[in-house]
Amino acid sequence: MTDLVLYTNPMSRGRIARWMLEETGAPYSTEILDYGTTMKAPAYLAINPMGKVPAIRHGDTVVTECAAICAYLADAFPQANLAPAPKDRGSYYRWLFFAAGPLEAAISDRALGVEVPADKQMMVGYGTYGHVMDTLEKAVSAAPYVAGDSFTAADVYVGAHVAWGLQFGTIEKRPAFEAYWKRLETRPAQIRASALDDADMPKEA
C-alpha cells in the first residue's frame, strides 16, 4: 500500500497524470474507474465532485485537474527535478497554464466544430486557433523544452497535448510540433506510463 493514489481511466486525461507519476519515480497505487458508474459513485464524488478523472490523493491531500497534478507532483517530489528553481519558473508556469487554458480551449472548440465569430474573439481566452498554434510553435521551438534546456512537468502537460493533437488532428502537423514530441516520446517514464495504461484498456469480448 502507498499513500499516493491515482484515480484514472486509460481512455482519459488520466494518461497525463500517469506519465507525470512515472516521471517522479514515487510509488503509487492505481484505481481504475468506469464512466457513468464508479466515476459517479458517492465514494469517488467525495474525491472529485465533478465525477471526472484524473485525480490523485497524496495522504490527506487531493488534487484534480491535470495541470495542477503535474505542478503538485513536481513540488512534492523535488528529487525528480521536474520543476525549475522558484526564481526560474516564469516560463515553466507560463506554458503549463497556457496549455491548460488557451491551448485546451482552442483545440476543444476545433474538435467540436466551434468557430468563434470575429467580433467575439475578445470574449474567449485564446482569440483564434491560428494564433494559439503560432504561439505554441514559438514555445516549443525556443529551446529543447518549454521551460528551457531541461525537461520539466510543463513538458509532460504540453507534450501530452501535442501528442494527442497530432494523433487526432486537433493540432496542425507542423514540423516544430513533430520535432518537439520526438524529443519526448522516448522518455522511459512516458513509455512505461503508456504501457501501463494500454494494459488497463478494456479487453474486447
Side-chain angles (χ1 to χ4, degrees):
M1 295 294 292
T2 173
D3 68 347
L4 181 56
V5 182
L6 168 66
Y7 301 90
T8 189
N9 181 290
M11 295 185 292
S12 76
R13 290 173 176 83
R15 284 180 172 259
I16 301 174
R18 169 89 78 177
W19 178 10
M20 184 63 196
L21 282 161
E22 288 295 319
E23 290 285 355
T24 70
Y28 65 94
S29 60
T30 305
E31 292 195 19
I32 304 296
L33 302 176
D34 294 321
Y35 291 99
T37 56
T38 51
M39 211 177 289
K40 303 299 183 184
Y44 183 64
L45 292 177
I47 298 291
N48 185 0
M50 289 285 287
K52 298 171 72 72
V53 291
I56 62 167
R57 180 171 51 77
H58 187 206
D60 294 330
T61 300
V62 171
V63 187
T64 66
E65 315 313 318
C66 284
I69 290 170
C70 289
Y72 174 86
L73 289 172
D75 286 345
F77 300 98
Q79 67 275 16
N81 295 314
L82 293 167
K87 66 182 181 62
D88 299 322
R89 289 189 182 180
S91 292
Y92 170 77
Y93 285 133
R94 177 186 183 183
W95 298 117
L96 182 61
F97 295 108
F98 168 82
L103 178 60
E104 178 148 1
I107 62 178
S108 294
D109 280 355
R110 176 88 161 190
L112 293 169
V114 174
E115 292 290 339
V116 180
D119 63 340
K120 297 290 192 298
Q121 289 171 1
M122 291 181 64
M123 297 177 62
V124 295
Y126 64 86
T128 69
Y129 173 85
H131 190 198
V132 170
M133 292 297 104
D134 291 343
T135 302
L136 178 63
E137 182 172 7
K138 290 177 183 177
V140 302
S141 303
Y145 303 103
V146 294
D149 292 332
S150 299
F151 178 90
T152 68
D155 292 295
V156 173
Y157 192 70
V158 175
H161 277 290
V162 170
W164 290 352
L166 290 173
Q167 181 179 356
F168 295 109
T170 54
I171 284 181
E172 297 171 352
K173 289 193 174 181
R174 299 186 184 186
F177 300 155
E178 293 177 321
Y180 174 61
W181 176 239
K182 197 168 284 290
R183 292 195 289 276
L184 304 182
E185 66 178 343
T186 56
R187 290 187 64 81
Q190 196 284 134
I191 294 170
R192 287 196 307 273
S194 292
L196 289 166
D197 281 321
D198 289 346
D200 286 333
M201 290 287 284
K203 303 298 186 290
E204 292 185 5

